[in-house]
C-alpha cells in the first residue's frame, strides 16, 4: 500500500524532527522515516551545547543567533523547558600563540555582534577555580547556552504528532524514485511505500547514501565523536569550557601547535558541559573511522587524561558512561541546506557535524520556508547542495 | 598489556563458582570484583538455602560464601578486589581500574560476566527521602555492617526478599509495621511468609505505598488499596508511623557491561527485563564471552552457582582444557541440577523463560 503525504522527511534525528515539526506547523502533511529508533544516531550521543564561540564569523554564526532566538520561543511553543540553560562559555588558552589567534578571532566575532571578551588569568580563575595553573587566559561569552537534545527531539515529535505529523521508526529507506506524475516514491526495508511531491534528506552521516539512491552527490563523511559522562557532582565552575587548541587548528590550520600522535589521530579536543542532571559531559574525539560508532578504550582514556590535565580535581570523579555518535562532516565544514537543482522537490538538510544541536531549530525553519514558499534566501546560497554538483561523484 | 586465559567479572556466587570450575579444569583464572570483599550478596544471606544436597540446601549463604572462598584459596585463584571493570573492547580486552588508581588492560581468551542484578525502585512522592531504601540495602546494613537502618519499617513487596528481609529486620530489633503487596496474592515462599506472619506482622495485599512524608527523613508513610486496574481507591488511605521504607520490588539484571561489549540483547519480562542472549553453555552471541547468575535472568543464588559452574566448565572446555567425554558428562550433570532447581510452582516459569531464551538461535 502506498501512503501519500506532502513531504517525506528521511531521518528522525534532531534535524529531521525539526524539519518535520516546522513543515507540519506550516500545514504540510509530513511523515518522518527513521531507520532506527528514537535518538538512535548522533543526536542521541552528543553533548548539549548551543555554542557561539566555536562558530566562524559568517553564515554559521548568523544562523546560530537566529537558532538561539528560536530555542527561546520553542520553550513556550513545545511546552517544555527543553533543558535550556545559559551558563555561558569559556575557551581556555594555554600559550601566547593561541592567545594571539583567539584575540583576532574574538575581534571578528564581536564585529558580528557576539558578546565575547578575553579574560585575564585572575578573572578566568575566579570563574573556574579548579583549572590547571598553566592556562594563561580565556575567552568568555555569556551567550553560550545549551539544550537537552533528548527533550528537544521528544517535544518536536510530540507537538508535531499533535498537529498530525507521523514519525515511523525502524524504517530504513532503500529506494527513492520519481513517478510519472512527478511525485517521489520512497520505499523502506519493510517494503512500505510513501509518496509525496517533496523529500527532505535529513539523514545526517547517512545523507550521502540517501542522496545516492536518486543519483545525487552529497559528500558526507561520518566523523566519530566520543564523549564521557561523569557521575553527579557539585558544580566545579561557572561556565561550560573548551580548549582553544581545537579552535586554533580549525581556524588557522597552518599554525604549529603541540599535539601528540594520539591526539592527532583521535582529533582530540576538550569540551566540558554541565547537564541539568548535575553530571558533566566531557569530550571529545573527532575521528574518521567509517560507520563504526563504538566507543574505544583509547578514545575514552585520551578524553579522561585530557580532562584531568585541564581540571585536576576530576581525577577523583567517576565517569559512568561513554557514548559515541557519527557527526556528519562535509568537505568544507559547512552544512548542506537547500533544494537540489538536478532533482526539483528533493532537499537536503544535513552535514552539521558538531553544530546539530545549535542549529537544529533554524535549519528546520529555513527548510520549511524553502519547501512551503519556494523561498531561497540569497545568503543561504553558500549552503546549497548544488555546490557539490560540479564535482559529482568525486568526493564521496 | 597483561594476559589471562579466563577473566571472571564479579565474585558473587555465580562468579566464584565459575572461577572455581574453570580453575579446577586447569585454566588460569583471574577473578575481579569492584568490592573490597568477595562473595557478593552471599555474606548477607544468613538464612538457609533450599534445594537438594547438591545445592548445599540447609546451609546458610554466609557459610557457602566462606566455603567458596576457601576453595578459591586452595586453588590459588588470582583475585583482584577493588577492581572496577570499565569496559570490554574487541571482544577480549578487559579494562580494569584497580584501587581507583591504576588502569590495567587485561587481554582475556575467555570472559565470564557475573555482575548480578540491581534492586528496582518504586517512585512515589517522598521516595528520595533518607529512610527509603532497597530491601537488599537494608539487609546489607543489618547483616554485614550491623547497623539498624531504622526502628519502624514499612516493607513494600511480599516476595522472598521482602519477607526474608522483614524477618531479619525483626531479628535485628526493628519493628516491621506492615508489608504491602500490590498484587492480590502474596509472592514469597510459604515457609518465609509464615515466619513473618507468626511474628505478628500485618500483610496488606492489593495495597501500595502512596507517599512518604517527613522533613529530612521519613516520618510517615501513606498506604492505599488499589483496584484490579492498579489504581488507588480513594478513601482507603492509611497513615503508618514509620521511619524506614524498604522496597522489595524485584531486581533488574546488570547487563551494561555485556551490552556495551556488544552481546546481543533479548527481552524476558519474567527474568527481569533485558538480558544477553545465551545458549545452554552460558555462551553469549560473542563466542569469547560467557555470562552466569542474575545477569542472565534474575533467579536465586543456587541457580547462579549452577550457571557459574556451567560457564566455567564450558569456557575451560572451549580452551581445550576438558576432554570431550568429561565435558559431556559435566554439562549434562549441570543441566540436570539446574532443571531440578527450576521445578515446582515457581521454578517452572523460570525454566520456560530460560528455555525460550536458548531456543532462539544466534550467530
Amino acid at each position: 500500500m502506498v501512503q501519500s503525504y506532502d513531504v517525506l522527511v528521511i531521518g528522525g534525528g534532531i534535524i529531521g524532527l525539526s524539519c518535520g515539526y516546522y513543515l507540519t506547523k506550516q500545514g504540510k502533511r509530513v511523515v518522518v522515516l527513521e531507520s532506527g529508533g528514537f535518538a538512535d544516531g548522533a543526536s542521541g550521543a552528543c553533548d548539549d551545547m548551543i555554542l557561539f564561540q566555536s562558530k566562524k564569523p559568517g553564515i554559521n554564526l548568523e544562523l546560530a543567533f537566529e537558532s538561539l532566538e528560536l530555542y527561546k520561543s520553542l520553550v513556550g511553543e513545545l511546552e517544555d523547558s527543553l533543558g535550556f540553560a545559559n551558563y555561558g562559555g569559556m575557551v581556555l588558552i594555554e600559550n601566547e600563540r593561541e592567545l594571539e589567534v583567539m584575540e583576532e578571532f574574538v575581534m571578528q566575532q564581536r564585529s558580528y555582534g557576539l558578546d565575547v571578551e578575553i579574560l585575564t588569568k585572575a578573572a578566568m580563575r575566579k570563574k573556574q577555580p579548579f583549572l590547571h595553573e598553566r592556562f594563561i587566559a580565556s575567552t568568555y561569552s555569556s551567550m553560550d547556552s545549551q539544550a537537552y537534545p533528548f527533550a528537544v527531539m521528544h517535544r518536536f515529535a510530540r507537538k508535531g504528532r499533535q498537529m498530525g505529523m507521523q514519525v515511523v521508526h525502524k524504517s530504513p529507506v532503500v529506494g527513492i524514485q520519481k513517478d510519472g506524475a512527478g511525485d517521489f516514491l520512497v520505499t523502506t526495508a519493510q517494503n512500505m511505500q510513501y509518496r509525496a511531491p517533496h523529500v527532505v534528506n535529513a539523514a545526517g552521516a547517512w545523507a550521502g547514501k540517501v542522496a545516492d539512491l536518486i543519483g545525487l552527490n552529497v559528500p558526507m563523511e561520518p566523523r566519530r565523536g566520543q564523549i564521557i559522562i561523569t557521575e553527579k557532582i557539585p558544580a566545579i565552575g561557572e561556565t561550560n569550557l573548551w580548549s582553544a587548541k581545537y579552535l586554533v587548528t580549525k581556524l588557522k590550520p597552518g599554525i604549529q601547535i603541540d599535539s601528540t600522535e594520539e591526539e592527532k589521530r583521535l582529533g582530540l579536543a576538550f569540551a566540558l558541559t554541565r547537564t541539568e542532571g548535575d553530571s558533566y559531559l566531557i569530550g571529545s574525539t573527532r575521528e574518521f573511522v567509517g560507520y563504526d560508532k563504538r566507543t574505544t578504550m583509547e578514545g575514552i582514556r585520551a578524553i579522561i587524561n585530557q580532562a584531568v590535565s585541564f581540571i585536576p580535581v576530576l581525577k577523583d570523579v567517576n565517569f559512568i558512561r561513554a557514548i559515541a555518535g557519527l557527526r556528519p562532516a562535509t568537505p568544507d565544514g559547512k552544512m548542506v541546506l537547500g533544494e537540489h537543482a538536478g532533482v526539483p522537490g528533493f532537499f537536503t538538510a544535513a552535514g552539521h557535524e558538531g553544530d546539530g544541536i545549535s542549529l537544529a531549530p533554524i535549519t528546520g525553519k529555513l527548510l520549511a520556508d524553502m519547501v512551503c514558499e519556494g523561498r531561497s534566501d540569497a545568503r543561504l546560497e553558500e549552503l546549497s547542495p548544488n555546490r557539490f554538483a560540479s564535482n559529482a561523484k568525486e568526493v564521496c | 598489556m597483561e594476559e589471562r586465559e579466563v577473566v571472571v567479572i564479579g565474585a558473587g556466587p555465580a562468579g566464584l563458582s565459575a572461577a572455581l570450575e574453570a580453575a579446577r579444569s586447569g585454566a588460569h583464572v583471574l577473578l575481579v570484583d569492584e568490592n573490597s570483599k568477595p562473595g557478593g550478596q552471599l555474606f548477607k544471606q544468613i538464612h538457609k538455602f533450599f534445594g537438594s544436597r547438591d545445592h548445599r540446601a540447609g546451609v546458610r549463604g554466609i557459610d557457602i560464601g566462606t566455603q567458596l572462598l576457601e576453595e578459591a584459596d586452595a586453588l590459588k585463584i588470582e583475585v583482584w578486589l577493588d577492581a572496577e571493570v570499565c569496559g570490554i573492547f574487541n571482544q577480549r580486552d578487559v579494562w580494569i581500574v584497580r584501587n581507583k588508581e591504576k588502569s590495567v588492560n587485561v587481554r582475556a581468551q575467555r570472559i565470564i560476566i557475573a555482575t548480578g542484578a540491581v534492586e528496582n525502585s518504586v517512585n512515589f512522592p517522598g521516595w528520595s527521602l533518607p529512610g527509603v531504601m532497597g530491601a537488599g540495602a537494608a539487609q546489607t546494613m543489618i547483616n554485614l555492617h550491623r547497623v539498624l537502618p531504622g526502628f519502624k519499617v514499612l516493607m513494600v513487596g511480599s516476595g522472598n526478599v521482602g519477607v526474608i528481609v522483614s524477618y531479619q529486620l525483626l531479628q535485628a530489633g526493628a519493628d516491621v509495621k506492615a508489608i504491602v503487596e500490590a498484587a492480590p496474592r502474596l509472592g514469597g515462599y510459604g515457609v518465609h511468609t509464615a515466619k513473618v506472619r507468626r511474628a505478628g506482622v500485618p500483610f496488606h495485599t492489593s495495597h501500595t505505598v502512596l507517599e512518604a512524608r517527613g522533613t529530612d527523613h521519613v516520618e510517615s508513610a501513606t498506604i492505599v488499596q488499589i483496584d484490579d486496574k492498579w489504581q488507588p481507591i480513594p478513601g482507603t488511605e492509611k497513615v503508618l508511623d514509620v521511619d524506614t521504607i524498604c522496597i522489595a520490588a524485584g531486581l533488574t539484571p546488570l547487563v551494561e557491561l555485556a551490552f556495551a561489549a556488544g552481546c546481543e540483547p533479548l527481552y524476558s519480562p519474567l527474568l527481569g527485563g533485558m538480558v544477553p542472549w545465551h545458549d545452554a553453555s552460558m555462551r553469549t552471541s560473542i563466542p569469547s564471552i560467557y555470562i552466569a547468575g542474575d545477569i542472565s535472568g534474575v533467579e536465586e543464588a543456587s541457580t547462579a552457582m549452577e550457571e557459574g559452574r556451567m560457564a566455567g566448565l564450558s569456557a575451560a572446555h572451549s580452551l581445550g582444557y576438558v576432554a570431550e567425554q568429561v565435558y559431556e558428562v559435566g554439562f549434562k550433570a549441570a543441566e540436570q541440577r539446574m532443571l531440578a532447581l527450576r521445578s515446582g510452582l515457581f521454578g517452572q516459569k523460570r525454566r520456560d523463560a530460560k528455555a525460550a531464551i536458548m531456543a532462539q538461535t544466534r550467530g
Side-chain angles (χ1 to χ4, degrees), chain A residues 46-49 51 54 90-92 226-230 236 239-247 267-274 280-286 302-304 306-308 310-311 314 327 354:
Chain A
C46 55
D47 65 31
D48 54 359
M49 295 204 254
L51 279 188
S54 65
M90 294 161 71
V91 180
L92 304 173
Q226 301 190 50
I227 291 170
I228 62 165
I229 304 172
T230 72
I236 49 174
T239 71
N240 294 329
L241 296 173
W242 63 103
S243 57
K245 203 185 227 181
Y246 160 63
L247 286 180
L268 192 68
F270 180 72
L272 174 137
T273 71
R274 183 173 178 79
Y280 280 85
L281 298 175
I282 307 178
S284 104
T285 63
R286 297 169 81 229
I303 292 170
I304 289 173
Q306 175 182 254
V308 171
F310 274 62
I311 303 176
L314 286 175
R327 324 279 170 238

Side-chain angles (χ1 to χ4, degrees), chain A residues 296-299 301, chain B residues 1-4 7 30 32 80 83-98 102-109 111:
Chain A
T296 63
M297 199 182 320
E298 185 192 30
R301 276 193 181 171
Chain B
M1 178 165 345
E2 306 213 21
E3 293 190 20
R4 297 290 187 283
V7 171
L30 169 64
V32 298
W80 290 0
E84 296 169 85
V85 175
C86 299
I88 297 168
F89 299 86
N90 310 317
Q91 314 197 337
R92 55 204 320 217
D93 295 333
V94 186
W95 176 9
I96 304 171
V97 174
R98 299 191 68 179
K102 194 170 182 288
S103 265
V104 187
N105 186 9
V106 180
R107 174 154 291 178
Q109 291 181 40
I111 298 166

Side-chain angles (χ1 to χ4, degrees), chain B residues 33-75:
Chain B
D33 196 290
E34 64 179 342
N35 297 293
S36 31
K37 283 182 186 162
Q41 310 304 313
L42 278 174
F43 285 93
K44 69 186 195 190
Q45 297 186 347
I46 57 174
H47 60 282
K48 291 179 182 169
F49 278 35
F50 288 132
S52 68
R53 198 151 53 96
D54 269 349
H55 309 120
R56 309 178 204 232
V59 184
R60 298 177 195 280
I62 181 171
D63 299 325
I64 295 174
T66 309
Q67 280 174 22
L68 292 176
L69 289 185
E70 281 168 7
E71 287 172 46
D73 240 19
L75 285 165

Side-chain angles (χ1 to χ4, degrees), chain A residues 192-339:
Chain A
M192 288 290 292
Q193 291 203 307
Y194 300 86
R195 179 198 301 275
H198 302 286
V199 169
V200 178
N201 170 15
W206 288 265
K209 292 180 186 283
V210 167
D212 209 31
L213 292 173
I214 192 148
L216 289 168
N217 178 45
V218 174
M220 193 72 67
E221 259 205 276
R223 190 165 208 175
R224 181 169 69 191
Q226 301 190 50
I227 291 170
I228 62 165
I229 304 172
T230 72
E231 62 188 320
K232 284 185 175 200
I233 52 169
I236 49 174
E238 280 180 29
T239 71
N240 294 329
L241 296 173
W242 63 103
S243 57
K245 203 185 227 181
Y246 160 63
L247 286 180
V248 171
T249 41
K250 195 168 149 184
L251 300 169
K252 299 257 165 149
I255 286 199
Q256 277 295 313
I257 54 165
D258 315 320
S259 296
T260 63
E261 271 311 306
E262 187 184 52
E263 282 174 349
K264 280 184 207 153
R265 186 170 63 250
L266 293 170
L268 192 68
F270 180 72
L272 174 137
T273 71
R274 183 173 178 79
T275 72
E276 230 186 0
D278 293 342
S279 41
Y280 280 85
L281 298 175
I282 307 178
S284 104
T285 63
R286 297 169 81 229
E287 312 157 74
F288 288 117
V289 286
Y291 286 88
D292 179 354
K293 62 170 187 177
R294 287 176 297 186
T295 53
T296 63
M297 199 182 320
E298 185 192 30
I300 297 169
R301 276 193 181 171
I303 292 170
I304 289 173
N305 289 336
Q306 175 182 254
V308 171
S309 90
F310 274 62
I311 303 176
V313 291
L314 286 175
K315 80 176 183 2
D316 295 319
V317 174
N318 287 304
F319 86 92
I320 57 169
R321 200 159 293 142
I323 52 178
L326 299 174
R327 324 279 170 238
T330 59
D332 57 10
K334 282 186 283 200
M335 68 159 130
V336 184
L337 179 62
E339 187 171 13

Side-chain angles (χ1 to χ4, degrees), chain B residues 94-259:
Chain B
V94 186
W95 176 9
I96 304 171
V97 174
R98 299 191 68 179
N99 306 305
K100 295 204 180 288
E101 271 173 5
K102 194 170 182 288
S103 265
V104 187
N105 186 9
V106 180
R107 174 154 291 178
Q109 291 181 40
R110 297 290 181 271
I111 298 166
I112 301 173
I113 310 179
T115 41
V118 64
E119 297 195 88
N120 294 334
S121 59
V122 172
N123 301 22
F124 48 85
W127 75 297
S128 59
L129 278 173
V132 181
M133 67 182 73
Q139 193 185 29
T140 302
M141 287 177 76
I142 50 177
N143 295 349
L144 273 186
H145 304 296
R146 307 188 179 212
V147 173
L148 204 54
F151 296 99
K152 297 169 288 184
V153 182
L154 166 66
M155 179 66 65
V156 180
S158 74
N160 279 333
V161 173
V163 283
I164 289 172
V165 175
S166 290
Y167 191 70
Q168 292 173 357
L169 280 162
L170 291 170
Q171 289 179 310
D175 184 2
V176 180
K177 293 283 187 186
I179 299 180
V180 294
E181 169 60 56
R185 308 168 54 152
L186 298 178
Y189 287 165
V191 55
H192 293 308
T193 306
K195 280 202 288 190
V196 182
R197 205 188 269 288
R198 280 200 300 275
V201 176
F203 283 84
H204 301 273
T205 51
S206 294
H207 272 71
T208 189
V209 57
L210 196 63
E211 70 169 333
R213 287 199 181 174
T215 45
D216 57 357
H217 67 279
V218 175
E219 288 167 30
S220 76
T222 307
I223 61 170
V224 68
Q225 198 180 336
I226 52 179
D227 62 21
D228 53 6
K229 294 190 181 66
W230 302 76
Q231 295 305 308
I233 302 172
T236 61
E237 297 87 356
K238 290 184 208 63
V239 178
L240 302 179
D241 172 27
V242 296
D243 56 19
T244 305
I245 301 174
C246 290
I247 310 293
L251 300 165
T252 297
L254 272 170
V255 294
E256 290 87 343
L257 202 51
F259 289 169

Side-chain angles (χ1 to χ4, degrees), chain A residues 52 68 72 83-89 140-146 238 240:
Chain A
F52 291 93
L68 180 70
K72 288 177 182 165
F84 182 81
N86 177 218
Y87 296 144
Y140 170 70
S141 171
S142 63
M143 290 183 75
D144 288 320
S145 304
Q146 61 197 84
E238 280 180 29
N240 294 329

